[in-house]
């Protein structure tokens, strides 16, 4: 209840500022990897589906519907020209003819992060397919849980269809790809931007006679990020870098949590 009041007040403040905004929600609330806690969460989501009368979702988690619906209903209220559409997004990541975000329980599943996406610069690019659907949310919705679950059921079926299309070798067929509008990107242009940015930094610091400082700071940050990521990879055997240092911080936290649980178990024995 307290969260609902805070959310509504924040949305009112957004509207009163007379600034157009886009809110992006991730109703799942968590990204699951392959650790014990992640598997427990997936199991809990599957059980929740069955409790609600749905087949267990294979490709998506269940949404945390209360806070999400509170935000969506507040945004949907008619406030002159400030009210905008609510759009549901479902994203498929494909690399080398394989769906990266495949079934949650599949050992082939890869959680795309910063490093996965940047591997396309020197390796296999990741193709991203975004499905958008405008949602119509009634202000008098009596069962937000059912509304959100139906939306996630559609996403689960969509990802299942993606997996089947790729497995059958028909994902690149005209019939399937006709649903999508291709956004062309230039590989050379992307590289040119990166090189240009680095050159601009080098020239600017050279003019102010600080090039040595730039190299020292850049080297330090590179070693810090790379070292933190490597430690996290060694501890957890996976990369989860949505922001720098996340892999290391999360892996260390999970390792400490695991160690603490094992000590408690040893004492109880």
């Amino acid at each position: 209840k307290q969260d609902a009041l805070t959310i509504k007040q924040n949305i009112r403040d957004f509207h009163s500022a007379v600034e157009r905004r886009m809110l992006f929600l991730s109703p799942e609330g968590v990204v699951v990897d392959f650790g014990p806690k992640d598997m427990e969460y997936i199991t809990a989501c599957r059980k929740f589906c069955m409790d609600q009368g749905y087949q267990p979702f294979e490709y998506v988690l269940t949404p945390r519907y209360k806070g999400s619906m509170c935000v969506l209903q507040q945004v949907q209220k008619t406030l002159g020209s400030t009210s905008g559409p609510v759009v549901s997004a479902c994203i498929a990541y494909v690399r080398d003819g394989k769906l990266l975000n495949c079934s949650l329980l599949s050992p082939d599943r890869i959680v795309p992060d910063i490093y996965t996406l940047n591997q396309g610069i020197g390796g296999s690019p990741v193709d991203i397919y975004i499905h958008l659907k405008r949602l119509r949310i009634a202000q008098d919705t009596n069962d937000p849980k059912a509304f959100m679950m139906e939306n996630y059921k559609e996403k689960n079926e969509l990802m299942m269809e993606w997996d089947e299309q790729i497995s059958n070798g028909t994902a690149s067929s005209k019939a399937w790809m006709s649903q999508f509008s291709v956004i062309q990107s230039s590989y050379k242009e992307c590289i040119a931007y990166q090189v240009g940015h680095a050159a601009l930094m080098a020239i600017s610091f050279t003019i102010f006679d600080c090039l040595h400082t730039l190299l020292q700071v850049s080297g330090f940050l590179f070693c810090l990020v790379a070292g933190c990521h490597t430690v996290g990879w060694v501890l957890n055997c996976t990369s989860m870098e949505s922001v720098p240092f996340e892999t290391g911080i999360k892996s260390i936290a999970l390792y400490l949590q695991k160690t603490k649980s094992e000590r408690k178990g040893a004492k109880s024995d």
Side-chain angles (χ1 to χ4, degrees):
K1 293 182 179 180
Q2 185 61 43
D3 288 343
L5 294 175
T6 302
I7 289 171
K8 290 177 181 179
Q9 183 58 52
N10 286 340
I11 297 296
R12 282 195 292 268
D13 291 342
F14 290 160
H15 284 300
S16 64
V18 198
E19 287 288 340
R20 299 189 66 184
R21 286 179 168 86
M22 178 184 290
L23 298 179
F24 185 84
L25 305 181
S26 296
E28 305 92 340
V30 67
V31 176
V32 292
D33 292 293
F34 297 96
K37 293 294 182 182
D38 300 302
M39 293 297 105
E40 288 177 11
Y41 192 82
I42 292 174
T43 301
C45 288
R46 292 171 64 85
K47 182 179 183 301
F48 182 79
C49 285
M50 291 187 287
D51 291 343
Q52 303 304 314
Y54 292 88
Q55 289 293 323
F57 296 160
E58 300 290 342
Y59 293 82
V60 296
L61 301 170
T62 51
R64 297 181 178 180
Y65 58 91
K66 293 181 181 178
S68 299
M69 283 302 301
C70 180
V71 173
L72 296 178
Q73 288 178 326
Q74 188 71 8
V75 171
Q76 278 285 89
K77 286 183 178 179
T78 303
L79 295 174
S81 60
T82 61
S83 181
V86 175
V87 179
S88 173
C90 185
I91 305 176
Y93 298 90
V94 181
R95 181 175 63 189
D96 293 332
K98 295 181 179 180
L99 183 66
L100 299 185
N101 51 329
C102 55
S103 173
L104 293 170
L105 297 177
S106 171
D108 298 325
R109 180 170 64 94
I110 295 175
V111 182
D113 66 353
I114 292 175
Y115 294 105
T116 309
L117 299 178
N118 285 335
Q119 284 174 3
I121 295 176
S124 299
V126 177
D127 296 318
I128 302 173
Y129 299 88
I130 306 175
H131 298 255
L132 302 175
K133 177 183 178 181
R134 183 164 182 170
L135 300 180
R136 305 289 181 179
I137 305 172
Q139 289 299 305
D140 59 350
T141 300
N142 295 319
D143 191 357
K145 177 169 43 179
F147 178 87
M148 295 290 288
M149 288 294 289
E150 281 297 317
N151 178 238
Y152 269 70
K153 177 186 176 184
E154 292 178 3
K155 291 184 178 184
N156 184 71
E157 291 172 349
L158 182 58
M159 295 308 299
M160 185 181 298
E161 178 67 16
W162 256 110
D163 217 357
E164 290 177 358
Q165 291 286 342
I166 290 176
S167 298
N168 296 333
T170 55
S172 59
S173 65
K174 187 175 180 180
W176 177 249
M177 295 306 297
S178 63
Q179 306 175 67
F180 306 98
S181 298
V182 179
I183 300 176
Q184 296 288 354
S185 61
S186 172
Y187 176 81
K188 292 181 179 179
E189 185 177 325
C190 292
I191 297 298
Y193 277 128
Q194 298 297 324
V195 173
H197 180 265
L200 179 62
M201 293 284 289
I203 292 171
S204 300
F205 276 78
T206 300
I207 292 173
F208 292 100
D209 196 26
C210 297
L211 183 59
H212 183 66
T213 302
L214 174 64
L215 294 175
Q216 284 184 322
V217 172
S218 299
F220 172 76
L221 290 176
F222 176 81
C223 292
L224 187 62
V225 173
C228 186
H229 182 268
T230 301
V231 169
W233 184 277
V234 170
L235 291 177
N236 207 41
C237 298
T238 187
S239 178
M240 50 185 104
E241 204 88 356
S242 57
V243 294
F245 307 110
E246 184 176 8
T247 299
I249 293 172
K250 281 188 175 180
S251 296
I252 292 172
L254 290 171
Y255 176 77
L256 294 175
Q257 185 181 51
K258 179 182 177 182
T259 304
K260 186 177 180 180
S261 298
E262 288 176 349
R263 287 178 180 174
K264 285 185 177 180
K267 287 181 180 179
S268 61
D269 292 341

